[in-house]
Amino acid sequence: MNLKTIKDLEDIQGKRILLRVDFNTPLTEPDENGYREVADDTRIREALPTINYLLEKEVKLIIISHLGRPKGKVVDELRLDPVARALESLLEKPVKKIDAITSDTVHKEVEEMKAGDILMLENIRFREEEENCDMQYTKELSTLGDVFVNDAFGTAHRKHASTAGLAEYIPAYAGLLMEKEIEELSKVLDNPGHPLTIIFGGAKMDSKIGVIKNFIGKADHILVAGGIGNTFLTASGHNLGESLAQHDMVELAQEIMMDCQEYKTKIILPHDLVAADDCTDDTETANVGVEDFVGDMKAFDLGKWSAEKFCNMIVDSKTVIWNGPVGVFEKKPFQEGSRTIAECIAKSDVTSIIGGGDTINAIKSFNIPADSFTHISTGGGASLEFLEGKMLPGIKPLLD
Ligand code: ADP
Ligand code: MG
């Protein structure tokens, strides 16, 4: 993909840059004064290279982000003030947060900006025109800037005013995070080192089915676990009792297994699972072979032999993509599977791409440093759609 990036921008000193970032960060519970703070500033840190690059060029920086799902209404708990405070402390520079998006006050503020100033607009999703990509509104928004820079890979799969629409009215460029995401994901999509092994876990198949299909014939191994693995096990005739599985997707899983056979991609199912009566922190567990499931047992994690087998396959690979925890890692008795996979990838010298919000949380909860992996994608849904081979609406206008 030939991207136009901010490195292609010339003579931008004093220019107004509309920068779309994904600062959709978790917030703390409100304190006694009703103040909330950013609970995890990873997403803000990830945009710092772009922000610092632009500030070094002495631009007027106008930052746009969404936070949560206010659904087109003003929701006080989702105002961007805590995010602006967090950015301010990371940059050690004032960040002026304004309570509006497009209004005379905003235009006046922008007019008064000096080169090097930073202004943050209010949560862009407070306006319903954002998600509708309303043309009139987008045009009005675009008049706040001379150039549109999109660094929000996490929302690149959405056709919204601030993720795609702005590019219709002012020149659009990719930020450095956007560029890095596209480069890393394109490499595994177009030219991966083989053997290529993909591990799919997590609760549901729906959002991942497209990626699984896209890699049939491209990947050497597809390892399935978690709820997805249970669905495939059900499709191959195992009765997993009350375990989470999508019974309406069993036929689809069978088709996928047949396609894998035809296109020489090995699909590997778990052969043992960690079972328990309920999913609690102090429940008793048993490591059970998939053949030995009886009654209403429930599987909540990948079994230890399967985790070891998965790890051996990871170590023998050149490239690994991992999306979705292989068990309910949020509960202590069921985190070993995901921990084994995470540590195995971290220790091996494969090229590794990690995607999915919960997968990233799992890695964090195991205290594995982020730099043990080649690339941790910041966009859950966006990275899945990218790996499906789709052209994302937020990326299209950034191409040369
Ligand atoms: P990601 O956000 O990384 O894409 P998903 O959202 O698809 O991952 O799935 C994550 C969830 O799947 C986790 O909350 C985890 O508890 C759940 N999960 C994994 N394995 C199982 C299982 N065997 N039974 C029930 N839930 C599971
Ligand atoms: Mg998730």
Side-chain angles (χ1 to χ4, degrees):
M1 271 188 200
N2 222 348
L3 276 184
K4 294 174 287 174
T5 79
I6 52 173
K7 289 177 273 179
D8 301 317
L9 280 167
E10 281 166 18
D11 305 324
I12 49 170
Q13 206 253 352
K15 289 262 162 65
R16 299 166 305 158
I17 307 285
L18 272 180
L19 171 65
R20 176 59 155 103
V21 290
D22 180 357
F23 285 171
N24 184 23
T25 57
L27 300 179
T28 58
E29 289 301 315
D31 67 10
E32 62 271 21
N33 303 314
Y35 269 98
R36 308 176 87 193
E37 296 300 337
V38 166
D40 179 350
D41 64 3
T42 311
R43 288 210 163 146
I44 304 179
R45 286 175 188 277
E46 267 149 351
L48 290 181
T50 298
I51 292 175
N52 284 323
Y53 181 95
L54 292 169
L55 289 175
E56 269 164 35
K57 302 279 177 195
E58 295 177 39
V59 303
K60 298 170 183 168
L61 195 60
I62 303 153
I63 298 181
I64 302 176
S65 179
H66 73 285
L67 177 65
R69 294 171 191 263
K71 301 204 171 122
K73 297 207 168 55
V74 175
V75 177
D76 279 331
E77 297 82 69
L78 294 176
R79 289 192 180 276
L80 283 182
D81 299 68
V83 174
R85 285 196 292 276
L87 177 62
E88 200 161 49
S89 78
L90 286 170
L91 289 174
E92 297 178 10
K93 274 196 183 104
V95 174
K96 180 150 194 188
K97 154 74 179 40
I98 186 159
D99 292 341
I101 299 164
T102 57
S103 68
D104 293 345
T105 346
V106 180
H107 281 279
K108 200 159 153 279
E109 281 292 341
V110 171
E111 256 163 48
E112 284 168 9
M113 284 176 87
K114 290 191 274 306
D117 283 354
I118 310 167
L119 183 71
M120 188 182 286
L121 304 185
E122 187 54 276
N123 189 339
I124 195 80
R125 290 196 186 159
F126 282 4
R127 292 285 296 263
E128 63 178 6
E129 296 95 327
E130 161 69 1
E131 292 186 57
N132 299 339
C133 202
D134 180 274
M135 275 178 64
Q136 202 51 44
Y137 165 80
T138 310
K139 195 172 173 185
E140 156 79 11
L141 186 65
S142 75
T143 61
L144 292 174
D146 302 302
V147 174
F148 167 45
V149 173
N150 192 350
D151 212 22
F153 178 75
T155 50
H157 57 318
R158 308 282 183 220
K159 190 173 185 288
H160 295 170
S162 71
T163 65
L166 284 174
E168 306 258 336
Y169 302 101
I170 47 177
Y173 292 83
L176 302 175
L177 174 63
M178 180 70 90
E179 182 190 26
K180 181 167 154 251
E181 287 277 9
I182 294 173
E183 265 178 15
E184 295 294 344
L185 296 178
S186 295
K187 265 190 248 168
V188 291
L189 202 57
D190 303 334
N191 198 13
H194 287 276
L196 166 61
T197 298
I198 310 195
I199 307 149
F200 287 106
K204 288 185 162 186
M205 295 250 285
D206 316 47
S207 60
K208 314 205 176 178
I209 207 82
V211 188
I212 299 180
K213 282 186 173 166
N214 195 31
F215 277 95
I216 298 175
K218 285 191 187 136
D220 300 279
H221 308 116
I222 295 179
L223 318 183
V224 289
I228 297 181
N230 294 346
T231 305
F232 276 95
L233 284 166
T234 309
S236 52
H238 294 285
N239 182 356
L240 295 185
E242 299 284 298
S243 306
L244 174 76
Q246 274 179 286
H247 295 276
D248 57 335
M249 294 223 157
V250 161
E251 244 173 73
L252 187 58
Q254 280 164 341
E255 277 168 32
I256 288 175
M257 288 191 287
M258 287 197 302
D259 287 347
C260 280
Q261 213 167 13
E262 190 176 341
Y263 293 98
K264 310 251 176 309
T265 292
K266 265 203 187 125
I267 185 157
I268 316 281
L269 278 45
H271 52 102
D272 61 335
L273 299 162
V274 177
D277 287 335
D278 40 31
C279 191
T280 55
D281 273 311
D282 48 11
T283 189
E284 268 188 45
T285 64
N287 202 90
V288 185
V290 292
E291 314 283 345
D292 304 324
F293 251 75
V294 282
D296 56 0
M297 282 204 285
K298 283 174 244 167
F300 295 115
D301 196 8
L302 187 61
K304 76 174 180 218
W305 306 118
S306 299
E308 221 165 87
K309 179 176 172 186
F310 280 22
C311 180
N312 289 335
M313 304 193 77
I314 289 165
V315 172
D316 286 338
S317 301
K318 274 259 161 44
T319 313
V320 169
I321 303 174
W322 179 27
N323 189 295
V326 297
V328 184
F329 72 95
E330 297 93 336
K331 299 280 178 221
K332 212 158 178 274
F334 310 111
Q335 52 180 232
E336 271 325 295
S338 300
R339 187 197 299 275
T340 304
I341 301 298
E343 286 180 347
C344 177
I345 300 174
K347 280 190 199 133
S348 69
D349 35 54
V350 293
T351 298
S352 52
I353 304 289
I354 312 293
D358 291 295
T359 313
I360 295 169
N361 287 341
I363 286 170
K364 275 188 193 152
S365 74
F366 304 144
N367 290 318
I368 302 174
D371 63 4
S372 322
F373 306 94
T374 311
H375 181 63
I376 299 185
S377 180
T378 53
S383 50
L384 284 173
E385 289 195 25
F386 193 94
L387 292 174
E388 273 179 44
K390 284 190 190 157
M391 172 52 75
L392 310 189
I395 294 179
K396 200 168 173 218
L398 309 173
L399 298 178
D400 215 352

